Amino acid sequence: MIEKDHWPAGLIARPIEPIDVQAWSDLMIAKNRADQDSGLQTVDDLLEELGDPVRDVTRDTVGLWSGDLMVGYCMLRAGSQFVNGLDVHALSSVHPLWRRRGLGTAIVDWMIQRSTEMHEALHTETPGKLNTNALTSSLGAEALLMGFGFKTDDHYLEMECPLDTTPCQTPLPGRARIVPFQPEHDEAVRLLHNEAFRDHRDSLPTSAENWRLWVTGSRAFVGSASSLVFVGDQLIAYALSYDHSTDDESGTKEIHIGQVGTARPYRGRGFATAAVSWAMAEAQRAGFQRASLSVDSESPTGAVGLYERLGFQTKRISAGYQRPIP
């Protein structure tokens, strides 16, 4: 941990503990409301993050406190695959009422120093990269990160579609059939996902361990609103969904379409559209009020147009920032 005098005067900095999750959730709700953002905010979401077996919460998390109010945080995670060097991913935020007081600068400085320590301990023989993200509407965050040497060329569209009317289900082409997710197909979905995303920028194969921990093993995974498309016995497309309902006063029930893919020989024939529309219809029947997803603005498969045709509209744009380690 960086020395005590690194942090703005009057604040307490310490690792995040399970007993802190309600205060942490309150911080994220305030942040999302101010920035018109979505993302991790429920107590269960945050407890799951703290339970990540890869993260050393005593060294890789920090919460900033003013009395009983968490006013800022940062957490780091080292990627488990070192194909092109060590990737460290950072999540952080500052309470809207505590911005422009030096907290953001202190947090970014901490994440750089801590990621350097992680690189030295885990993977010194190859380059390292520190990754974080921010909304493009947050000019202050952009200036802060660029000032610390971060660069960006990745942009992701955060899209939403209301489910107040039953979505129009796209018919399946040919003799294909669609079924809800079934555990016996889990490994086949993982392998298809890795193959489908091989031509996407910065995409690495997902290991079986990470897949079963963070994808189909996530507490938020909704198998009944996740779709699998088959031609005969061959899995050719999928759409996996997650419960992103909020803990704030709106209580919005949101289904998040987290992963969508199609086997290469079947691209451009409407299978992904059918998979997503089926998942949306099932979510609507289950009482979800809104669907959301995030998509690379330069997706090589034309995914942006697909989602727009299904009724999704871009609500926010986030930028991915990278900085070499050390």
Side-chain angles (χ1 to χ4, degrees), residues 78-143:
S80 58
Q81 300 173 33
F82 308 118
V83 177
N84 298 311
L86 177 66
D87 269 344
V88 177
H89 299 269
L91 295 174
S92 65
S93 187
V94 173
H95 194 288
L97 298 179
W98 284 77
R99 292 173 180 172
R100 303 187 186 282
R101 303 193 194 188
L103 278 70
T105 298
I107 286 173
V108 175
D109 196 19
W110 178 83
M111 72 168 67
I112 291 172
Q113 294 195 39
R114 176 60 192 141
S115 64
T116 301
E117 295 172 357
M118 295 166 74
H119 181 256
E120 292 173 350
L122 293 173
H123 217 62
T124 56
E125 65 270 25
T126 60
K129 184 172 65 175
L130 175 59
N131 306 270
T132 191
N133 60 76
L135 294 177
T136 56
S137 58
S138 178
L139 300 181
E142 178 183 39

Side-chain angles (χ1 to χ4, degrees), residues 177-299:
R177 59 187 175 90
I178 192 164
V179 299
F181 174 83
Q182 297 162 347
E184 59 265 33
H185 298 304
D186 193 27
E187 179 64 5
V189 181
R190 182 184 74 88
L191 294 175
L192 176 55
H193 174 78
N194 286 344
E195 174 60 22
F197 278 80
R198 186 164 50 86
D199 58 353
H200 288 55
R201 61 180 175 183
D202 297 329
S203 179
L204 294 175
T206 303
S207 68
E209 179 182 9
N210 278 346
W211 182 266
R212 294 182 178 96
L213 181 65
W214 294 112
V215 183
T216 56
S218 168
R219 64 144 204 102
F221 180 62
V222 184
S224 60
S226 298
S227 58
L228 306 180
V229 181
F230 288 86
V231 170
D233 293 329
Q234 181 184 0
L235 176 69
I236 63 163
Y238 60 91
L240 305 183
S241 302
Y242 303 82
D243 187 342
H244 275 200
S245 301
T246 62
D247 272 355
D248 60 16
E249 67 275 6
S250 72
T252 303
K253 285 184 63 61
E254 177 180 304
I255 197 78
H256 184 77
I257 312 296
Q259 295 86 18
V260 179
T262 305
R264 292 168 189 274
Y266 293 90
R267 284 180 178 175
R269 294 162 59 180
F271 292 107
T273 301
V276 174
S277 67
W278 187 96
M280 293 170 66
E282 289 301 307
Q284 194 275 338
R285 279 190 278 272
F288 287 92
Q289 301 161 296
R290 180 173 69 204
S292 66
L293 53 83
S294 176
V295 59
D296 188 335
S297 63
E298 298 182 11
S299 170

